[in-house]
Amino acid sequence: MPRIITLTPNPALDYAVHADFVDPNRKLRCRDPQTHPGGGGINVARAASRLGAHALAIFTAGGVYGDALVKAIATENVPMRMIPITGGTRLAFHVSNHRDNNEYRFNLPGAEMSDAELNRFFDAVREETDPDDFVVASGSLPPGTPEDFWAQIARIVKEKKARFVLDSISGLEAALAEGVYMLRQNEFEYPALSGETLSWPDEINAFAQKAVADGLAEAMVISHGADGSIMATKDGLDFAPSYKVRANSAVGAGDSFVGGLLTALSRGESNENALKFGMAAAGATRMSEGTALFKTADVIRLYETGSVRGG
């Protein structure tokens, strides 16, 4: 079974708390602190590993938060390759506001990478990637990163005869010009490519199919919130609805979707079933508190029955 290798040059240590209310100029009493590994690719690897896939997280880490990040990933037994950097790993702070039933997310900037650190990251991708692996570029890039960072990664992945999955809006045009196996966008991201907001489902379906026909990617995946997700390939269009769950937090749901989707594809599942499995992972993560990802049993129950009741 191919590996799911995730790339996170700008990870974070996620710190989440609950507050009875959030008001300006007030001292806020917080409770129930949680700490989890963060960053798009790391979350994809956590999700895929939790679902039984062969995963590897390649990421940078530095400073006190970087040390905590490495320990948190090790606690979850996610295979990893850490690229040490001189700068410090960033902190992402999440506050659940119980009075208004919403959440606040504060993301700090990451540290710039030196040329030597960038080259070590590229070398790690080159050394770890085997033919047919899924290599997932996910999340933001650190300040000062070259615009063609993902394009350079795409070139390496192509040389290794693996499959490059782009789940990032950073350096998008350069990466697409280099060649992408799968492009994943959500409802807020695809307008940068389409030039406008499109209606669901007809216009979005047509846009995704045209993107594949024009060679933008071999597979175009668009997640559209509560409406569900679609995947366009040369073989046609597949759709999976969103699962109705009692949501507590949306943090990590998109990354869980990608992890579930690729886990199913790595097992040889159909595109339709893979989309459905990805949506189950996303739904189960939305049920979790703060920055926690899904419980595996909830993913399985959603996928098989459409409900988590009885568990």
Side-chain angles (χ1 to χ4, degrees):
M1 187 165 70
R3 276 198 303 181
I4 298 170
I5 300 174
T6 69
L7 313 179
T8 315
N10 197 31
L13 183 68
D14 283 344
Y15 192 78
V17 296
H18 294 265
D20 290 330
F21 64 90
V22 178
D23 281 335
N25 305 315
R26 295 285 301 276
K27 183 179 290 186
L28 306 177
R29 302 291 183 182
C30 300
R31 62 182 185 278
D32 303 325
Q34 296 182 37
T35 303
H36 294 103
I42 287 176
N43 282 337
V44 172
R46 292 170 65 206
S49 183
R50 199 171 293 189
L51 293 169
H54 297 302
L56 173 70
I58 299 176
F59 62 96
T60 62
V64 174
Y65 293 142
D67 291 342
L69 175 67
V70 171
K71 290 178 181 177
I73 296 172
T75 298
E76 297 193 20
N77 296 314
V78 177
M80 69 175 102
R81 178 162 175 177
M82 185 270 286
I83 311 300
I85 57 173
T86 303
T89 296
R90 65 194 176 107
L91 182 71
F93 194 74
H94 306 262
V95 182
S96 295
N97 175 14
H98 286 252
R99 182 189 62 192
D100 301 323
N101 193 31
N102 59 21
E103 61 185 6
Y104 291 81
R105 308 182 191 179
F106 304 90
N107 290 327
L108 277 64
E112 290 193 29
M113 297 170 64
S114 67
D115 289 343
E117 291 164 350
L118 287 169
N119 287 331
R120 283 197 291 272
F121 199 99
F122 295 142
D123 288 343
V125 177
R126 188 175 291 108
E127 292 164 8
E128 295 290 351
T129 303
D130 290 323
D132 295 328
D133 284 343
F134 294 96
V135 181
V136 188
S138 189
S140 62
L141 295 175
T145 303
E147 185 66 21
D148 67 343
F149 180 86
W150 289 137
Q152 293 187 61
I153 295 287
R155 192 175 308 126
I156 293 170
V157 175
K158 187 163 51 178
E159 289 171 355
K160 302 293 287 189
K161 295 181 170 37
R163 292 169 283 193
F164 184 58
V165 178
L166 184 60
D167 183 28
S168 173
I169 59 174
S170 302
L172 185 63
E173 291 185 9
L176 291 175
E178 186 63 41
V180 170
Y181 168 74
M182 177 185 290
L183 174 63
R184 185 257 173 176
Q185 303 265 277
N186 65 30
E187 59 189 310
F188 306 109
E189 295 168 340
Y190 78 80
L193 284 176
S194 66
E196 59 182 331
T197 300
L198 304 174
S199 64
W200 175 271
D202 294 342
E203 289 184 346
I204 289 179
N205 289 347
F207 166 70
Q209 289 175 305
K210 185 176 187 303
V212 171
D214 290 346
L216 199 66
E218 292 184 42
M220 178 77 171
V221 177
I222 298 180
S223 308
H224 207 260
D227 296 317
S229 296
I230 59 109
M231 180 192 295
T233 66
K234 63 179 179 58
D235 296 322
L237 188 78
D238 292 281
F239 163 76
S242 177
Y243 290 91
K244 290 180 171 56
V245 299
R246 182 173 180 176
N248 289 308
S249 174
V251 177
D255 300 327
S256 296
F257 167 78
V258 175
L261 170 71
L262 295 179
T263 294
L265 290 176
S266 71
R267 293 173 177 163
E269 295 284 347
S270 67
N271 292 345
E272 181 182 12
N273 286 343
L275 277 176
K276 183 180 175 184
F277 196 63
M279 292 304 292
T285 290
R286 290 172 58 227
M287 295 164 54
S288 65
E289 296 279 352
T291 57
L293 297 188
F294 56 76
K295 295 178 181 177
T296 303
D298 288 340
V299 177
I300 301 303
R301 279 193 285 267
L302 276 176
Y303 179 69
E304 292 181 348
T305 70
S307 171
V308 294
R309 279 179 268 184

